[in-house]
Amino acid sequence: MPSDFAATPELILLPAVDVADGKAVRLTQGEAGSETDYGDPIDAAVDWARQGADWVHLVDLDAAFGRGSNAAVLRKVIRQLKGVQVELSGGIRDDASLEAALDSGAARINLGTAALENPEWAANVIRRYGDAIAVGLDVRGTTLAARGWTREGGDLWTVLARLEDAGCSRYVVTDVTKDGTLRGPNLDLLRQLTERTPKPIVASGGVSSLDDITALRELVPLGVEGAIIGKALYAGAFTLAEALDVARN
């Protein structure tokens, strides 16, 4: 019923800008070497803002893979995005990289590998910075992936329980097998996670159509707060304005 759907809370969309070697790129299943170049990341981010984005998901792929840094470019992107909040991800593994990320102007920092490999540090960061910290859970089946998805990072449910104990405020959940494939999000995984945590979940990976956004929005009452969209936008499957219309109205 349309009236019932209209009463469903908004799904927050976070268009992605993944940066490698100073350029906006997209990967397939997170694999280094699978990049498709989409040009200037500032242009990409400003375009999402122009189309109505409230958030942008900004990723330093070189830092995530441990092969360099795009910190200066990311700071420029954030400066250009007035009135748009940025979730920053990629290679934030110690105090120095965390401080730099927080100083960049990003509203939220997404911890990945560090939350798996250095749980004591991650728990301390979660306690200190609260809602400014999200933890990225990159999943194959129920096994977590680490180091730019090149290593296993433990059992999803074991790690989730540990992060819940630490007081983590939000999870960014990616099905690695879906990311960049335009094969649809893993709705079952998201439902399972909402049963195990009361904290908001941001879904990532696989969104290919406006129907996928509709399906994710139906999970908002369960705890799925938002969705990161990348390849579908760059490939022209739909516009961000169209996606926002489905997510909000």
Side-chain angles (χ1 to χ4, degrees):
M1 294 283 291
S3 58
D4 291 346
F5 190 69
T8 304
E10 172 187 346
L11 178 74
I12 298 167
L13 298 185
L14 301 88
V17 180
D18 294 0
V19 183
D21 196 23
K23 300 185 198 68
V25 302
R26 290 303 298 160
L27 302 182
T28 300
Q29 296 188 346
E31 289 181 16
S34 70
E35 293 92 342
T36 305
D37 180 357
Y38 289 100
D40 187 335
I42 294 175
D43 291 345
V46 168
D47 189 41
W48 302 146
R50 201 178 292 122
Q51 290 190 52
D54 293 323
W55 281 85
V56 166
H57 181 74
L58 189 57
V59 184
D60 188 335
L61 286 175
D62 292 322
F65 285 116
R67 63 187 187 196
S69 169
N70 294 281
V73 175
L74 300 187
R75 279 196 298 275
K76 283 183 191 166
V77 172
I78 293 167
R79 278 203 300 272
Q80 293 294 321
L81 290 174
K82 295 178 176 60
V84 177
Q85 299 189 87
V86 172
E87 179 176 83
L88 187 59
S89 186
I92 300 158
R93 299 193 178 108
D94 53 28
D95 287 333
S97 53
L98 176 65
E99 293 297 335
L102 290 165
D103 288 345
S104 71
R108 191 157 72 217
I109 307 303
N110 192 18
L111 296 183
T113 296
L116 308 180
E117 294 185 349
N118 197 344
E120 284 182 22
W121 178 79
N124 185 42
V125 166
I126 288 164
R127 276 194 295 274
R128 281 176 65 196
Y129 296 104
D131 203 44
I133 304 295
V135 171
L137 299 173
D138 299 335
V139 186
R140 281 192 187 91
T142 58
T143 301
L144 290 162
R147 292 275 159 187
W149 301 352
T150 58
R151 285 193 206 158
E152 288 193 1
D155 175 69
L156 168 62
W157 306 122
T158 305
V159 172
L160 180 67
R162 190 178 75 221
L163 290 165
E164 286 289 284
D165 287 345
C168 183
S169 66
R170 183 176 276 97
Y171 301 100
V172 178
V173 179
T174 305
D175 181 340
V176 176
T177 65
K178 300 269 192 180
D179 192 66
T181 65
L182 302 177
R183 288 204 310 240
N186 188 335
L187 300 173
D188 289 340
L189 171 67
L190 294 168
R191 281 193 201 93
Q192 288 175 48
L193 279 155
T194 63
E195 290 167 4
R196 305 263 192 139
T197 175
K199 305 296 175 45
I201 291 167
V202 177
S204 175
V207 171
S208 63
S209 67
L210 295 175
D211 287 345
D212 289 337
I213 294 169
T214 299
L216 287 167
R217 188 174 173 189
E218 287 168 358
L219 300 182
V220 171
L222 301 180
V224 174
E225 172 188 75
I228 295 166
I229 310 177
K231 198 158 196 176
L233 289 173
Y234 288 97
F238 48 78
T239 67
L240 179 60
E242 289 169 335
L244 289 167
D245 193 48
V246 172
R248 290 171 175 169
N249 300 315

